[in-house]
Amino acid sequence: MELRTLRYFVAVAEELHFGRAASRLHMSQPPLSRAVKQLETELGAALFDRSSAGVALTAVGAVLLEEARALLEQADRVRVRVAAAAGAALLTVGILGDSADPRVTRLADAYRRLHPRVEVRVRETDLADPTCGLRAGLVDVALTRGPFDETGLTVRALRADPVGALLRADDPLARRDGLKLADLAGRRWFLFPQGTDPAWQSYWSGGEPREGPVVRAVQECRQAVLWNGTVGMTLLDHEPGEGLAVVPLTDMPPSRAVAAWKQGDTNPLLRSFVTLATTTYRA
């Protein structure tokens, strides 16, 4: 039983979809299916129930998933310890915007417990660069939000968070239980600087060209609304601050929290970080 095959199995078990798992592993679906089938043959038991409705873990598969995760985590710890002995125990993490996110705090605690000898350097970036310096080679991995150009990157979805309109508390729309983008037509929105990733700018502008002040930081967004009555989007569970309100946008897809790194990067410190991030953000 090879570690690589176990990684394949875990990907399918977590995605419960061979196509999505293949995409996550950057491989085509047929060899992934063959590898899982070979593993089932080796173990003498079915790991998945396959039907027209989808894929589900069998009781045997659930046991193997628990054991495989533990084994893969142990293998990653071995690699990290070897990296530390070689003097390479350093990971640079890019974080978008507000690093006070409690999920980031939980992730930091978990990573520190697992890898106490690894030095983690954090680079917090503004809203103009959703890859947090990843393309420029300034960080090893980014904790950020989509969408953005994923060319040359591996992107792992961590969770999806609903969004709302950020308004002054005395705005008549702030009294609503929910809003649609059409309710904000004609209003000035805060925008990101010229040259910002088009997909990123489009999402946070509600998919429409807008006019309004240019901002780079979360606090600048809030001040633009507070002082000028500008509107924009923010995460629904973010505390807006005094004088501001957040109203759910019912026709906007949720914002995806993701981990991103350069394709082909096999750094064991990075692999362990992404595994912990996936567990922490989905908890």
Side-chain angles (χ1 to χ4, degrees):
M1 188 183 304
E2 297 182 356
L3 291 178
R4 181 177 60 180
T5 305
L6 287 179
R7 292 193 191 280
Y8 291 173
F9 162 74
V10 169
V12 177
E14 290 179 346
E15 300 292 342
L16 290 178
H17 191 282
F18 277 85
R20 288 195 298 268
S23 177
R24 168 172 154 181
L25 294 165
H26 301 286
M27 62 188 299
S28 59
Q29 186 172 332
L32 174 60
S33 298
R34 287 195 297 270
V36 172
K37 197 68 178 176
Q38 182 177 349
L39 180 60
E40 290 178 316
T41 300
E42 182 179 345
L43 294 173
L47 301 173
F48 297 100
D49 286 325
R50 302 162 175 85
S51 70
S52 58
V55 177
L57 276 171
T58 63
V60 175
V63 171
L64 180 60
L65 178 59
E66 182 178 350
E67 295 294 337
R69 281 173 170 162
L71 186 59
L72 292 172
E73 287 176 4
Q74 178 61 30
D76 284 338
R77 283 195 292 270
V78 170
R79 293 188 181 96
V80 169
R81 292 186 65 183
V82 171
L90 170 66
L91 186 72
T92 304
V93 180
I95 295 179
L96 183 70
D98 186 6
S99 59
D101 186 330
R103 289 180 289 264
V104 174
T105 303
R106 290 197 298 270
L107 174 57
D109 291 342
Y111 198 79
R112 180 67 179 171
R113 287 195 301 270
L114 188 60
H115 304 304
R117 297 182 181 179
V118 174
E119 180 181 354
V120 178
R121 296 178 183 174
V122 175
R123 181 178 186 270
E124 187 170 301
T125 60
D126 61 34
L127 301 176
D129 179 15
T131 69
C132 305
L134 187 60
R135 293 196 184 282
L138 300 177
V139 301
D140 299 306
V141 61
L143 283 177
T144 183
R145 291 189 173 273
F148 50 81
D149 179 10
E150 298 182 5
T151 304
L153 304 178
T154 299
V155 178
R156 171 78 61 83
L158 302 176
R159 61 179 289 136
D161 299 299
V163 295
L166 181 63
L167 306 162
R168 280 183 58 93
D170 58 4
D171 191 307
L173 295 179
R175 295 193 290 269
R176 301 267 197 95
D177 292 329
L179 293 171
K180 293 186 176 182
L181 290 171
D183 296 322
L184 303 174
R187 300 286 295 267
R188 286 170 59 80
W189 286 54
F190 48 73
L191 306 174
F192 302 135
Q194 187 174 4
T196 297
D197 185 291
W200 170 257
Q201 176 70 83
S202 177
Y203 176 84
W204 291 104
S205 295
E208 300 285 342
R210 309 286 184 179
E211 293 184 358
V214 173
V215 298
R216 286 183 172 271
V218 171
Q219 192 59 27
E220 289 180 6
C221 298
R222 293 170 178 165
Q223 294 299 328
V225 176
L226 187 64
W227 287 86
N228 304 308
T230 307
V231 301
M233 283 178 15
T234 187
L235 299 180
L236 196 58
D237 65 355
H238 270 197
E239 176 58 46
E242 187 175 355
L244 299 173
V246 182
V247 181
L249 279 168
T250 59
D251 57 350
M252 272 299 297
S255 169
R256 291 187 309 130
V258 302
W261 62 99
K262 289 189 175 180
Q263 285 183 5
D265 192 336
T266 58
N267 182 349
L269 302 176
L270 189 156
R271 186 194 300 274
S272 180
F273 181 89
V274 172
T275 300
L276 278 176
T278 302
T279 302
T280 302
Y281 272 68
R282 293 179 179 176

